[in-house]
Amino acid sequence: MTIVAHSVQSATATVAPSRARNITLWTLQIVLGLFFIIASAAPKLVGQHYAVEVYAEIGWGQWFRYATGVVELAGGLGLLIPRLSGSAAAGLSITMVCAAATQAFLLGAPAMAIFPLVLCAVFVWIAWNRRESIAALRAMLTR
Protein backbone atom coordinates (compact mmCIF):
# COMPACT_ATOMS: atom_id res chain seq x y z
CA MET A 1 0.00 0.00 0.00
CA THR A 2 2.74 2.45 0.88
CA ILE A 3 4.55 1.61 -2.36
CA VAL A 4 1.44 2.51 -4.37
CA ALA A 5 0.95 5.73 -2.41
CA HIS A 6 4.62 6.62 -2.83
CA SER A 7 4.57 5.96 -6.58
CA VAL A 8 1.40 8.08 -6.97
CA GLN A 9 3.02 10.89 -4.97
CA SER A 10 6.21 10.78 -7.02
CA ALA A 11 4.22 10.64 -10.27
CA THR A 12 2.12 13.63 -9.27
CA ALA A 13 5.19 15.63 -8.33
CA THR A 14 6.50 15.31 -11.89
CA VAL A 15 3.24 16.26 -13.63
CA ALA A 16 2.05 19.10 -11.41
CA PRO A 17 1.09 22.06 -13.60
CA SER A 18 2.75 25.44 -13.23
CA ARG A 19 1.03 28.10 -11.14
CA ALA A 20 -0.28 29.99 -14.18
CA ARG A 21 -1.55 26.80 -15.79
CA ASN A 22 -3.16 25.73 -12.52
CA ILE A 23 -4.99 29.09 -12.29
CA THR A 24 -6.12 28.72 -15.91
CA LEU A 25 -7.31 25.17 -15.27
CA TRP A 26 -9.26 26.13 -12.17
CA THR A 27 -10.82 29.11 -13.96
CA LEU A 28 -11.95 26.86 -16.81
CA GLN A 29 -13.13 24.16 -14.42
CA ILE A 30 -15.22 26.62 -12.39
CA VAL A 31 -16.75 28.33 -15.44
CA LEU A 32 -17.47 25.06 -17.25
CA GLY A 33 -18.63 23.32 -14.07
CA LEU A 34 -21.15 26.08 -13.37
CA PHE A 35 -22.20 26.13 -17.03
CA PHE A 36 -22.90 22.40 -17.02
CA ILE A 37 -24.77 22.56 -13.70
CA ILE A 38 -26.86 25.67 -14.37
CA ALA A 39 -27.23 26.05 -18.13
CA SER A 40 -27.02 22.48 -19.37
CA ALA A 41 -28.15 19.97 -16.73
CA ALA A 42 -30.79 22.06 -14.92
CA PRO A 43 -33.01 22.71 -17.98
CA LYS A 44 -32.98 19.00 -18.80
CA LEU A 45 -33.78 17.94 -15.24
CA VAL A 46 -36.57 20.47 -14.65
CA GLY A 47 -38.18 19.79 -18.03
CA GLN A 48 -37.64 23.12 -19.76
CA HIS A 49 -39.87 23.23 -22.86
CA TYR A 50 -36.99 23.50 -25.36
CA ALA A 51 -35.12 20.55 -23.80
CA VAL A 52 -38.27 18.41 -23.92
CA GLU A 53 -38.75 19.29 -27.61
CA VAL A 54 -35.14 18.51 -28.54
CA TYR A 55 -35.20 15.14 -26.80
CA ALA A 56 -38.54 14.33 -28.46
CA GLU A 57 -36.85 15.07 -31.80
CA ILE A 58 -33.95 12.77 -30.90
CA GLY A 59 -36.55 10.04 -30.50
CA TRP A 60 -35.10 8.03 -27.63
CA GLY A 61 -37.68 9.10 -25.07
CA GLN A 62 -37.58 11.56 -22.20
CA TRP A 63 -35.65 9.13 -19.97
CA PHE A 64 -32.63 10.00 -22.15
CA ARG A 65 -33.07 13.70 -21.28
CA TYR A 66 -32.97 12.85 -17.58
CA ALA A 67 -29.97 10.55 -18.02
CA THR A 68 -28.09 13.23 -19.94
CA GLY A 69 -28.97 15.80 -17.29
CA VAL A 70 -27.65 13.57 -14.51
CA VAL A 71 -24.40 12.90 -16.42
CA GLU A 72 -23.90 16.63 -17.03
CA LEU A 73 -24.72 17.50 -13.42
CA ALA A 74 -22.25 14.90 -12.13
CA GLY A 75 -19.59 16.11 -14.55
CA GLY A 76 -20.13 19.76 -13.63
CA LEU A 77 -19.89 18.98 -9.92
CA GLY A 78 -16.87 16.74 -10.51
CA LEU A 79 -15.00 19.58 -12.21
CA LEU A 80 -15.31 21.57 -8.97
CA ILE A 81 -13.91 18.81 -6.72
CA PRO A 82 -10.10 18.51 -6.93
CA ARG A 83 -10.02 14.73 -6.43
CA LEU A 84 -12.60 14.19 -9.20
CA SER A 85 -11.65 16.93 -11.66
CA GLY A 86 -9.57 14.80 -14.03
CA SER A 87 -12.10 11.97 -14.18
CA ALA A 88 -14.97 14.44 -14.61
CA ALA A 89 -13.18 16.13 -17.50
CA ALA A 90 -12.49 12.76 -19.14
CA GLY A 91 -16.13 11.74 -18.75
CA LEU A 92 -17.39 15.05 -20.10
CA SER A 93 -15.09 14.74 -23.12
CA ILE A 94 -16.82 11.45 -23.99
CA THR A 95 -20.20 13.08 -23.38
CA MET A 96 -19.28 15.88 -25.80
CA VAL A 97 -18.33 13.40 -28.54
CA CYS A 98 -21.76 11.81 -28.08
CA ALA A 99 -23.42 15.25 -28.15
CA ALA A 100 -21.62 16.11 -31.39
CA ALA A 101 -22.68 12.83 -32.96
CA THR A 102 -26.27 13.45 -31.84
CA GLN A 103 -26.22 16.93 -33.37
CA ALA A 104 -24.72 15.72 -36.63
CA PHE A 105 -26.61 12.47 -37.18
CA LEU A 106 -29.84 12.43 -35.18
CA LEU A 107 -30.74 16.12 -35.28
CA GLY A 108 -29.36 16.74 -38.78
CA ALA A 109 -27.35 19.81 -37.74
CA PRO A 110 -23.67 19.00 -38.35
CA ALA A 111 -22.66 22.66 -37.97
CA MET A 112 -23.96 22.53 -34.39
CA ALA A 113 -21.52 19.70 -33.63
CA ILE A 114 -18.61 22.17 -33.58
CA PHE A 115 -19.35 23.54 -30.09
CA PRO A 116 -19.37 20.15 -28.33
CA LEU A 117 -16.19 19.16 -30.19
CA VAL A 118 -14.44 22.34 -29.01
CA LEU A 119 -15.61 21.58 -25.47
CA CYS A 120 -14.31 18.02 -25.91
CA ALA A 121 -10.85 19.37 -26.75
CA VAL A 122 -10.93 21.62 -23.66
CA PHE A 123 -12.00 18.69 -21.46
CA VAL A 124 -9.24 16.48 -22.87
CA TRP A 125 -6.72 19.23 -22.04
CA ILE A 126 -8.12 19.52 -18.50
CA ALA A 127 -8.08 15.74 -18.03
CA TRP A 128 -4.49 15.53 -19.26
CA ASN A 129 -3.36 18.26 -16.88
CA ARG A 130 -5.34 16.73 -14.00
CA ARG A 131 -4.16 13.19 -14.69
CA GLU A 132 -2.61 13.04 -11.23
CA SER A 133 -6.11 13.23 -9.75
CA ILE A 134 -7.16 10.32 -11.98
CA ALA A 135 -4.17 8.26 -10.81
CA ALA A 136 -4.82 9.13 -7.16
CA LEU A 137 -8.51 8.24 -7.48
CA ARG A 138 -7.66 4.95 -9.18
CA ALA A 139 -5.14 4.11 -6.42
CA MET A 140 -7.70 4.96 -3.75
CA LEU A 141 -10.39 2.80 -5.36
CA THR A 142 -8.12 -0.20 -5.86
CA ARG A 143 -6.96 -0.43 -2.26
Side-chain angles (χ1 to χ4, degrees), residues 9-80:
Q9 287 173 350
S10 63
T12 59
T14 60
V15 296
S18 69
R19 179 171 164 77
R21 188 177 327 153
N22 197 39
I23 291 170
T24 302
L25 285 164
W26 274 113
T27 302
L28 278 171
Q29 287 171 229
I30 291 168
V31 169
L32 290 172
L34 292 175
F35 170 79
F36 270 85
I37 294 166
I38 297 167
S40 193
K44 291 174 182 79
L45 295 174
V46 300
Q48 181 196 34
H49 181 68
Y50 179 72
V52 172
E53 285 180 356
V54 168
Y55 280 83
E57 189 177 341
I58 290 171
W60 287 11
Q62 293 301 309
W63 69 269
F64 188 56
R65 173 175 54 89
Y66 289 113
T68 304
V70 168
V71 167
E72 290 178 348
L73 178 64
L77 290 171
L79 286 174
L80 304 176

